Amino acid sequence: MLPNSRILLRAHKFSQFRGIQKVHSSATENQHAVAFEVDTARQFSEIPGPSPFKLITGFLPGGSYYKKDFVSFLSGFKDEYGNISKIPGVLGKRDIVLVYDPEDFKTVFQTQGAFPIRRGFDTMLQYRQETRKDFYQGVLGIAVDQGQSWWDFRHKVNAAMMKPQITRKYVSAIDEVVQDFVKRQHSLRDANNEAPDDFYHELNMWALESIAYITMDTRLGIFDNTSDENMHSVMKDLKVFFELSFRLNFLPSLWKYFPTSDYRRLTKSTDNLLNTIQGYVNIGIKKVKENSDDIENEGVLKKLLEIDPKVATIMVMDSLFAGVDTTSSGVFSVMYLLAKNPEKQEKLRKELLKILPEKNSPFTVENTSNLPYLRACIKEAFRLMPVTFGNFRTTGQDVVLSGYHIPKGTDIMMGNQIVHQQEKYFQRASEFQPERWIRPENSKITCPVNASSHPFAYLPFGFGTRMCIGRRFAEMEIESIVSRFVRHYNIEWKHPDPKVACLAINMPVTPLKFRFTEIGA
């Protein structure tokens, strides 16, 4: 069923390029075209891929997928089977079709319907629908829910999470956390000015402090060790959540048939997170009530509480799940590529000196409104070292992808990460070239023509009404921390390339020995 005009208008607000917006207006014509193509397309059963037996044995010792991270596993599929392939559903899982053509991405997004389906972790759905239904009571949240109930929840929280007038209020708050973090890292450097081995963990703690400040209206005190004992366990529980969610949802597992030890551990860590977050939301509620007359500084938590305390708790939890490792991984990518490209780092520093003439110059809405090179560096880092492998959707109708008939309700993994590395879509694809994202002066075009030859080749935050709801906050956090580090330090990397593995998201798994050498005032 086609979206009605109101839904279409809402969807347009989330579009990244005006060129992409035209997709919706031609939906009817394209549906007719797709229907015609289905009659002549190859059958779903003909899509190349391993048999269920080959898939399962491939994960066993000696198998071709044994101990491979998710990106290596998916990349191997492309090498073996081509631009479209199928991971057969085994042990209670669904078939997944892998595609690597932006035209296929366009088709999937264009036909996804009014309520796009992006399946979350089955383990999270089980936890919220069954294990803790006493708390959730059918309110599953934007990460898990689907259909009309998903849209109702998303529509409610959009006002708190997506409106620019709300997010802009947090520029100073986010920078406050960043400045505390910079001070901490300054003292943690070794004799060679290198960051500690666990710098990625430090980034996690910064991201947690930041997103908690935004969504719970309180500082956790992580950097000055004033947070309570429960909060120190949050990072451990989040790590367990990501590691086991990846293992149980993407690799062969029997958890759907009986509660395995990994599933029990995952449930326990999620219980811990829920209980801790509920406690902090209660603290935030008390603070909001005490400042109920401060209309000018109304923030995210107050807006969420006006909807419902349960909605507030669920949204805060989803923000932690989605906003700690993802943001940390993004910061790592930007810092690493700036360290490996000192001439780009210096160019960025010159831009930053205009708004931060002193190291303690404040970040404001006004002085951060025009930082094109900073934002270009972040975009380019997300292209070369993306946070996720790609976008996941379920087809909203029968479609044709790469010549094959794909039935409605089929799960599709769109491999943007591999597309990012292809010269076909990005000139000098292997090089860190932020300039590709800079729009020429006095140009009327809305997007640099040399950024990509296809508007669906680069979608780091997804697309449409189901794109990342925390995008604005994530961008503000990354812009702030990168700016402060580049303003304070010359960032260098003097070691072998770090190893990055995909555990639902891409993250470094070796020590991040950045060298931070302080620059002049």
Side-chain angles (χ1 to χ4, degrees):
M1 180 178 294
L2 286 175
N4 60 36
S5 59
R6 182 175 298 177
I7 296 296
L8 285 174
L9 287 172
R10 288 169 179 163
H12 287 178
K13 293 179 181 180
F14 296 95
S15 298
Q16 290 151 296
F17 306 118
R18 291 181 184 175
I20 294 178
Q21 292 173 343
K22 296 177 182 178
V23 166
H24 297 287
S25 63
S26 60
T28 302
E29 292 85 348
N30 285 315
Q31 277 195 323
H32 293 313
V34 167
F36 175 78
E37 287 185 80
V38 165
D39 293 336
T40 59
R42 302 180 70 178
Q43 296 300 306
F44 182 77
S45 59
E46 298 179 77
I47 298 174
S51 67
F53 177 77
K54 182 179 178 181
L55 181 71
I56 292 175
T57 55
F59 284 103
L60 300 177
S64 55
Y65 315 130
Y66 182 62
K67 288 190 175 181
K68 281 192 174 181
D69 75 290
F70 196 50
V71 171
S72 299
F73 166 62
L74 295 178
S75 298
F77 261 65
K78 185 179 188 306
D79 294 339
E80 187 170 357
Y81 300 110
N83 253 8
I84 184 169
S85 58
K86 180 171 57 179
I87 304 175
V90 297
L91 300 177
K93 293 179 171 61
R94 298 161 52 91
D95 290 346
I96 298 176
V97 174
L98 308 176
V99 291
Y100 305 94
D101 186 338
E103 272 300 306
D104 287 339
F105 305 169
K106 175 182 175 181
T107 298
V108 173
F109 285 122
Q110 179 179 346
T111 58
Q112 60 186 344
F115 309 122
I117 297 176
R118 183 183 64 197
R119 299 189 190 280
F121 296 145
D122 286 348
T123 49
M124 188 184 295
L125 180 63
Q126 173 73 14
Y127 180 83
R128 296 187 178 188
Q129 267 189 333
E130 302 296 335
T131 307
R132 289 304 309 272
K133 63 182 178 182
D134 58 313
F135 172 77
Y136 289 95
Q137 298 175 343
V139 183
L140 302 180
I142 59 172
V144 176
D145 211 350
Q146 310 293 344
Q148 182 69 52
S149 57
W150 162 79
W151 172 250
D152 290 343
F153 189 99
R154 173 85 188 215
H155 183 59
K156 289 176 182 176
V157 299
N158 273 346
M161 302 295 293
M162 293 292 287
K163 283 189 175 181
Q165 57 266 41
I166 296 293
T167 56
R168 282 195 293 263
K169 292 181 179 181
Y170 288 89
V171 170
S172 296
I174 288 172
D175 191 47
E176 174 190 316
V177 178
V178 167
Q179 294 204 58
D180 288 347
F181 181 73
V182 172
K183 291 175 184 176
R184 173 178 170 83
Q185 298 314 307
H186 190 84
S187 63
L188 291 178
R189 295 176 304 164
D190 64 17
N192 294 318
N193 290 328
E194 289 190 342
D197 286 353
D198 65 347
F199 183 68
Y200 187 69
H201 174 75
E202 292 284 322
L203 284 175
N204 283 168
M205 301 303 283
W206 157 77
L208 178 59
E209 183 86 10
S210 297
I211 197 65
Y213 201 5
I214 292 168
T215 59
M216 294 188 282
D217 198 28
T218 186
R219 289 293 300 267
L220 302 179
I222 294 174
F223 301 147
D224 55 13
N225 297 318
T226 60
S227 57
D228 64 35
E229 187 175 338
N230 287 334
M231 186 46 64
H232 284 287
S233 70
V234 166
M235 282 310 309
K236 183 186 298 183
D237 288 320
L238 281 173
K239 290 297 182 187
V240 171
F241 174 82
F242 274 108
E243 177 187 347
L244 296 184
S245 290
F246 169 75
R247 190 183 303 171
L248 294 173
N249 290 283
F250 292 102
L251 304 182
S253 173
L254 296 171
W255 74 268
K256 288 191 175 183
Y257 300 97
F258 64 89
T260 63
S261 59
D262 279 347
Y263 182 74
R264 292 195 299 271
R265 282 181 60 211
L266 177 62
T267 299
K268 182 178 179 181
S269 69
T270 312
D271 279 340
N272 293 342
L273 287 168
L274 178 59
N275 293 335
T276 302
I277 290 168
Q278 279 186 282
Y280 274 92
V281 169
N282 290 336
I283 294 173
I285 291 173
K286 182 179 179 182
K287 186 175 180 181
V288 166
K289 288 180 177 178
E290 291 173 350
N291 298 281
S292 59
D293 296 332
D294 189 5
I295 299 176
E296 191 172 320
N297 292 313
E298 288 184 349
V300 168
L301 184 60
K302 185 172 183 180
K303 292 291 185 183
L304 293 174
L305 289 171
E306 288 172 354
I307 302 168
D308 180 73
K310 186 182 298 295
V311 168
T313 302
I314 295 171
M315 191 64 245
V316 169
M317 177 171 257
D318 285 348
S319 297
L320 296 188
F321 287 148
V324 174
D325 267 302
T326 51
T327 307
S328 302
S329 176
V331 172
F332 152 67
S333 297
V334 181
M335 282 192 178
Y336 176 70
L337 288 166
L338 287 173
K340 297 287 284 185
N341 295 272
E343 73 285 357
K344 309 297 184 185
Q345 183 181 161
E346 184 57 33
K347 185 174 179 178
L348 172 58
R349 186 172 292 111
K350 288 179 180 178
E351 178 180 84
L352 292 171
L353 284 169
K354 296 176 184 178
I355 68 162
L356 301 174
E358 306 294 333
K359 289 183 178 179
N360 60 351
S361 297
F363 252 72
T364 66
V365 173
E366 292 73 27
N367 68 13
T368 58
S369 62
N370 185 30
L371 290 170
Y373 199 70
L374 169 64
R375 290 173 181 128
C377 287
I378 294 171
K379 286 181 179 179
E380 182 70 345
F382 280 13
R383 182 188 69 82
L384 276 175
M385 300 180 68
V387 173
T388 62
F389 177 80
N391 292 294
F392 194 80
R393 287 291 189 278
T394 299
T395 51
Q397 66 174 65
D398 284 22
V399 295
V400 174
L401 303 179
S402 293
Y404 291 89
H405 171 210
I406 311 296
K408 177 182 179 180
T410 302
D411 291 339
I412 308 295
M413 173 64 77
M414 294 168 272
N416 293 77
Q417 182 168 346
I418 289 177
V419 171
H420 292 174
Q421 308 296 323
Q422 295 179 337
E423 292 286 332
K424 179 179 179 181
Y425 303 108
F426 296 92
Q427 296 179 8
R428 300 165 69 182
S430 63
E431 299 178 20
F432 182 68
Q433 293 290 336
E435 290 77 11
R436 75 173 77 242
W437 301 102
I438 302 293
R439 184 176 60 161
E441 290 187 19
N442 302 319
S443 173
K444 295 181 180 180
I445 61 174
T446 59
C447 179
V449 293
N450 62 336
S452 168
S453 60
H454 198 292
F456 281 82
Y458 179 83
L459 298 172
F461 292 96
F463 171 79
T465 53
R466 198 130 198 178
M467 74 181 299
C468 175
I469 195 170
R471 173 183 179 173
R472 292 185 186 277
F473 288 119
E475 289 176 331
M476 287 172 60
E477 291 174 70
I478 295 170
E479 289 169 9
S480 181
I481 193 170
V482 170
S483 296
R484 287 295 177 189
F485 267 90
V486 171
R487 178 62 184 86
H488 278 71
Y489 303 107
N490 182 41
I491 306 173
E492 298 175 279
W493 185 270
K494 300 293 185 180
H495 299 275
D497 293 342
K499 182 179 178 182
V500 177
C502 181
L503 300 174
I505 65 169
N506 297 324
M507 60 181 74
V509 292
T510 49
L512 296 186
K513 299 292 290 183
F514 285 106
R515 178 177 292 179
F516 297 124
T517 305
E518 195 168 12
I519 61 176

